[in-house]
Amino acid sequence: MSWILALAFIGVWIWFTGRARERAAERAATGMLRSPLYWSGAGLIGFLVALTLSEHYALAQGGILMWTWLAALGVTLVAIFFVRRALKWRYPV
């Protein structure tokens, strides 16, 4: 039974890889991969992942660290929203 799940898992990852290559080819053709807007969006996503990983520590401390973490989360989410809208406007892929 576990080998069936392992094969399904590998199949899904192969399918995801194929779709990711197609999307990357579309983005490269439009020039989006060279755009500073694209890379700032990727950096904001990385910062969001870092905030997610520090969530337990920041919220357990309480006080000013908790409010700073929440403010950083809010500002990051708003910035990601605006960067994604600007990318959709500039590169309607």
Side-chain angles (χ1 to χ4, degrees), residues 3 7-9 14 22 39-40 47 66 73 79 89:
W3 65 272
L7 283 175
F9 183 73
I14 290 172
E22 291 173 5
W39 290 107
S40 63
F47 187 69
M66 179 182 70
L73 179 67
W89 177 73

Side-chain angles (χ1 to χ4, degrees), residues 51 63-73:
L51 281 174
I64 192 71
L65 184 61
M66 179 182 70
W67 294 109
T68 305
W69 183 86
L70 287 172
L73 179 67

Side-chain angles (χ1 to χ4, degrees), residues 26-27 30-32 84-93:
E26 288 178 7
R27 290 181 178 141
T30 61
M32 183 191 289
R84 287 189 54 89
R85 287 289 103 202
L87 274 170
K88 289 283 189 184
W89 177 73
R90 177 68 176 96
Y91 302 101
V93 176

Side-chain angles (χ1 to χ4, degrees), residues 10-79:
I10 291 170
V12 165
W13 277 108
I14 290 172
W15 183 58
F16 282 160
T17 303
R19 293 205 46 202
R21 283 187 183 151
E22 291 173 5
R23 284 188 304 234
E26 288 178 7
R27 290 181 178 141
T30 61
M32 183 191 289
L33 293 181
R34 293 186 307 269
S35 171
L37 203 57
Y38 176 79
W39 290 107
S40 63
L44 284 170
I45 295 295
F47 187 69
L48 185 64
V49 169
L51 281 174
T52 304
L53 294 174
S54 68
E55 175 185 10
H56 180 70
Y57 177 77
L59 297 181
Q61 295 298 316
I64 192 71
L65 184 61
M66 179 182 70
W67 294 109
T68 305
W69 183 86
L70 287 172
L73 179 67
V75 168
T76 304
L77 289 175
V78 168

